């Protein structure tokens, strides 16, 4: 029997007191059981730090384990070498990193990459990003520079070292801060508005859109000392995300998903609506998939990754890369009639191109609601079969304090049915699905022009020959 080790070493700090973390419906234990049933000749072993969010079910007073998969908890203070040694002791045939989003520093993939490097040194076949890839995903300025050098469209940007920018405050004997003069000179040559964001923080934490130079200077002068920041010209266009997984020479690019945006043109992390697949020829999807495939080969991605994009004036601009499981992984999987964990099953089989192209796709919408009780979520899923999955999250964000919400993924065979189900869900649940969610989905469906058909199968991009109706 083959043994597969799936590990998550990136969570190296506990959530603040009173923060519950993440819970899934259906729960992760059930999903791991189903995955194990698909591979009866494979023993799955999961290695993780407590509290285990995203990879297993960890909730106060509730920790349901899979009946078919082994769970191994890692010591809280275990080093990279300790974790690799623990996994290697079980002599797995293959180890796969399951990197997760964490706050405030999005470095889960980097730690998993270091564990992966140690496992390879021990002779264990491992699917995990390289340290170079994971560090680029963490440090947004390095990633942007590298993509630009390799011919990808990215925003004009300037990386600012905050300690130098604030040097005159740190050392009052400095008469003129030359680095500050340089930064302000460079910013004045940029086109406004500009986006100011941390180089290493997770999600949209601290992201600010500055409308003019005065607004930008005010934001930079008040920037906390715990991070540097990146200033980018804002690309005006339509926001997207796309997922890719596999190993060098063996990748699958999933369908792009369109995001709704706030008034400033940037998706609000707590209000954003996501929907897909996007089929209109206008968006040059085949070209996009070829570019993502090129990106994957360039970085030699090994595992899963998500890319934030903007489509502007006929071109695809890459905003950033998340070399890990993301909060859009589930909708991408559901569009292909899979789940997040099915992706890891495909990685374990090591035949992404040969077995992972779906015969048909379906439409899906991802949206957030207020924080709901267990019984409410289960009752909704029983009454509305269109609900494919729910994630309930409670966390802490440095700029917002405690954050809690539920994230739903709803699926349907056609765009028309998707909208009908969403309206029915809104009408049948009091103050759960908002008017803004319905408006956001309607706007996306109109912009996607989903009534258009996909062309013939394209061997270069692995697009199946599909037909959709609206």
């Amino acid at each position: 029997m083959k043994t597969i080790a799936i590990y998550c070493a990136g969570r190296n700090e506990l959530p603040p007191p009173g923060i519950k973390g993440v819970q899934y419906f259906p729960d992760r234990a059930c999903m791991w059981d189903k995955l194990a049933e698909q591979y009866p000749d494979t023993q799955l072993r999961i290695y993780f730090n407590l509290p285990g969010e995203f990879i297993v079910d960890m909730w106060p007073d509730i920790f349901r384990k899979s009946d078919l998969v082994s769970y191994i908890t890692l010591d809280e203070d275990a080093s990279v070498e300790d974790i690799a040694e623990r996994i290697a002791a079980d002599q797995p045939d293959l180890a796969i990193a399951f990197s997760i989003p964490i706050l405030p520093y999005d470095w889960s993939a980097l730690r998993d990459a270091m564990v992966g490097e140690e496992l390879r040194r021990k002779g264990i076949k491992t699917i995990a990003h390289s340290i170079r890839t994971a560090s680029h995903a963490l440090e947004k300025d390095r990633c942007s520079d590298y993509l630009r050098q390799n011919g990808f469209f990215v925003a004009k940007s300037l990386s600012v070292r905050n300690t130098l920018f604030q040097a005159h405050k740190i050392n009052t004997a400095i008469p003129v801060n030359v680095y500050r003069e340089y930064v302000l000179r460079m910013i004045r040559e940029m086109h406004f508005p500009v986006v100011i964001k941390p180089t290493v923080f997770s999600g949209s934490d601290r992201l600010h859109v500055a409308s003019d130079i005065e607004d930008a200077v005010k934001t930079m002068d008040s920037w906390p000392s715990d991070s540097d920041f990146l200033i980018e010209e804002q690309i005006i266009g339509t926001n997207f995300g796309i997922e890719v997984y596999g190993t060098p020479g063996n990748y699958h690019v999933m369908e792009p998903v369109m995001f709704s945006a706030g008034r400033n043109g940037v998706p609000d992390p707590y209000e954003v609506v996501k929907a897909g697949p996007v089929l209109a020829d206008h968006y040059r999807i085949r070209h996009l998939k070829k570019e993502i495939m090129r990106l994957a080969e360039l970085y030699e991605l090994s595992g899963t990754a998500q890319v934030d994009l903007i489509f502007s004036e006929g071109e695809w601009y890459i905003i950033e890369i998340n070399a890990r499981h993301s909060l859009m992984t589930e909708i991408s999987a559901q569009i292909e009639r899979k789940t997040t964990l099915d992706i890891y099953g495909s990685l374990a089989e090591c035949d992404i191109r040969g077995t992972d192209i779906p015969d048909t796709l379906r439409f899906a919408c991802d949206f957030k609601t207020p924080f709901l009780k267990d019984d409410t979520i289960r009752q909704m899923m029983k009454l509305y079969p269109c609900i494919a999955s729910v994630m309930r999250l409670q966390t802490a964000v440095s700029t917002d304090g405690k954050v809690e919400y539920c994230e739903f993924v709803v699926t349907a065979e056609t765009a028309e049915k998707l909208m009908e189900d969403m309206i029915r869900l809104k009408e049948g649940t009091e103050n759960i699905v908002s008017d803004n969610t319905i408006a956001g989905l309607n706007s996306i469906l109109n912009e996607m022009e989903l009534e258009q058909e996909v062309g013939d199968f394209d061997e270069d991009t692995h697009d199946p020959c599909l037909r959709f109706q609206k």
Side-chain angles (χ1 to χ4, degrees):
M1 176 174 283
K2 182 167 64 174
T3 300
I4 305 295
I6 299 176
Y7 71 91
C8 178
R11 166 61 79 186
N12 58 358
E13 71 279 347
L14 293 175
I19 298 298
K20 296 179 177 179
V22 181
Q23 184 180 16
Y24 280 93
F25 303 81
D27 60 29
R28 280 292 195 241
C30 176
M31 294 174 70
W32 282 119
D33 282 344
K34 288 184 177 180
L35 185 65
E37 289 171 353
Q38 294 178 38
Y39 304 100
D41 297 328
T42 299
Q43 180 186 22
L44 295 174
R45 299 175 66 85
I46 307 172
Y47 303 77
F48 60 93
N49 298 105
L50 295 175
E53 52 193 12
F54 297 105
I55 189 169
V56 298
D57 303 298
M58 179 60 72
W59 203 253
D61 304 321
I62 302 173
F63 185 12
R64 193 173 91 75
K65 296 184 178 181
S66 165
D67 295 326
L68 303 178
V69 175
S70 299
Y71 287 23
I72 299 92
T73 56
L74 302 170
D75 292 339
E76 180 181 340
D77 58 352
S79 68
V80 165
E81 292 75 16
D82 292 337
I83 293 169
E85 189 68 33
R86 176 63 189 87
I87 295 171
D90 292 331
Q91 299 181 322
D93 297 282
L94 174 67
I96 304 174
F98 190 126
S99 304
I100 63 172
I102 57 176
L103 298 170
Y105 300 107
D106 199 2
W107 54 29
S108 170
L110 183 56
R111 195 161 204 246
D112 287 338
M114 291 188 285
V115 172
E117 185 177 81
E118 288 295 316
L119 288 171
R120 292 187 187 101
R121 288 174 178 170
K122 296 177 182 296
I124 295 173
K125 184 178 180 181
T126 303
I127 297 178
H129 299 304
S130 68
I131 291 177
R132 182 199 67 144
T133 298
S135 63
H136 271 215
L138 172 65
E139 300 178 76
K140 298 177 177 64
D141 51 342
R142 291 178 61 202
C143 182
S144 179
D145 289 343
Y146 186 72
L147 292 174
R148 185 182 296 106
Q149 292 165 8
N150 284 278
F152 293 93
F153 283 89
V154 294
K156 181 179 178 181
S157 63
L158 176 67
S159 178
V160 179
R161 303 303 176 194
N162 197 24
T163 52
L164 284 176
F165 189 77
Q166 306 291 351
H168 61 291
K169 297 179 181 178
I170 300 171
N171 184 353
T172 56
I174 295 176
V176 176
N177 186 332
V178 176
Y179 184 79
R180 177 184 169 87
E181 285 186 318
Y182 151 74
V183 169
L184 296 183
R185 183 180 182 87
M186 297 298 291
I187 293 175
R188 290 190 181 94
E189 296 178 1
M190 299 178 78
H191 295 288
F192 281 83
V194 297
V195 176
I196 305 175
K197 61 185 181 183
T199 56
V200 295
F201 276 16
S202 181
S204 299
D205 195 16
R206 293 188 189 165
L207 185 147
H208 177 75
V209 178
S211 58
D212 52 38
I213 185 66
E214 289 78 16
D215 188 10
V217 172
K218 180 180 178 181
T219 300
M220 292 187 295
D221 281 340
S222 61
W223 199 265
S225 61
D226 59 359
S227 77
D228 296 328
F229 51 91
L230 188 66
I231 304 171
E232 295 178 333
E233 290 186 350
Q234 185 177 19
I235 305 298
I236 305 302
T238 307
N239 294 273
F240 286 82
I242 195 167
E243 301 253 345
V244 57
Y245 62 91
T247 55
N250 191 25
Y251 294 108
H252 175 53
V253 180
M254 305 180 84
E255 298 300 314
V257 173
M258 187 181 292
F259 298 174
S260 64
R263 292 182 180 179
N264 62 2
V266 177
D268 184 320
Y270 309 124
E271 296 287 340
V272 64
V273 178
K274 308 165 191 172
V278 180
L279 308 176
D281 294 338
H282 167 72
Y283 291 107
R284 305 175 64 205
I285 301 304
R286 284 194 175 89
H287 169 72
L288 169 63
K289 287 189 173 185
K290 288 179 180 178
E291 284 293 272
I292 297 301
M293 190 72 76
R294 182 167 76 91
L295 173 74
E297 295 288 2
L298 176 70
Y299 265 118
E300 297 182 321
L301 296 179
S302 184
T304 66
Q306 184 264 347
V307 183
D308 286 329
L309 306 152
I310 294 180
F311 184 76
S312 177
E313 298 183 355
E315 299 292 351
W316 285 99
Y317 289 80
I318 296 177
I319 304 304
E320 62 185 51
I321 301 170
N322 296 303
R324 53 164 170 73
H325 167 74
S326 79
L327 297 187
M328 68 164 280
T329 302
E330 187 65 21
I331 182 176
S332 298
Q334 289 291 342
I335 286 172
E336 296 189 352
R337 302 178 189 271
K338 295 181 284 192
T339 69
T340 292
L341 299 192
D342 288 331
I343 292 174
Y344 291 87
S346 297
L347 289 170
E349 288 297 290
C350 301
D351 189 18
I352 305 304
R353 288 184 177 178
T355 63
D356 221 43
I357 300 172
D359 294 328
T360 58
L361 304 179
R362 60 181 172 185
F363 296 106
C365 173
D366 176 300
F367 62 95
K368 294 180 175 64
T369 73
F371 196 74
L372 304 174
K373 295 180 179 179
D374 292 38
D375 292 344
T376 301
I377 295 172
R378 293 191 175 94
Q379 183 67 11
M380 288 176 65
M381 296 185 76
K382 182 178 180 180
L383 293 174
Y384 302 97
C386 60
I387 301 174
S389 71
V390 181
M391 179 188 74
R392 186 170 68 172
L393 180 146
Q394 187 180 78
T395 188
V397 179
S398 61
T399 53
D400 301 327
K402 186 169 76 172
V403 173
E404 55 184 20
Y405 59 80
C406 291
E407 188 159 351
F408 283 69
V409 176
V410 170
T411 63
E413 296 302 314
T414 67
E416 181 181 31
K417 184 66 163 58
L418 181 63
M419 179 56 80
E420 289 175 355
D421 286 345
M422 286 292 294
I423 292 174
R424 188 177 299 113
L425 189 59
K426 180 184 185 306
E427 292 174 345
T429 57
E430 184 178 357
N431 298 323
I432 291 180
V433 181
S434 69
D435 291 336
N436 287 341
T437 295
I438 297 299
L441 175 59
N442 186 61
S443 175
I444 290 175
L445 293 183
N446 288 336
E447 190 166 350
M448 286 197 303
E449 301 176 12
L450 291 177
E451 71 278 3
Q452 297 195 30
E453 298 176 359
V454 176
D456 293 335
F457 181 81
D458 185 331
E459 293 183 356
D460 291 331
T461 58
H462 316 291
D463 281 337
C465 182
L466 302 171
R467 181 183 297 271
F468 289 79
Q469 57 181 345
K470 184 174 181 180

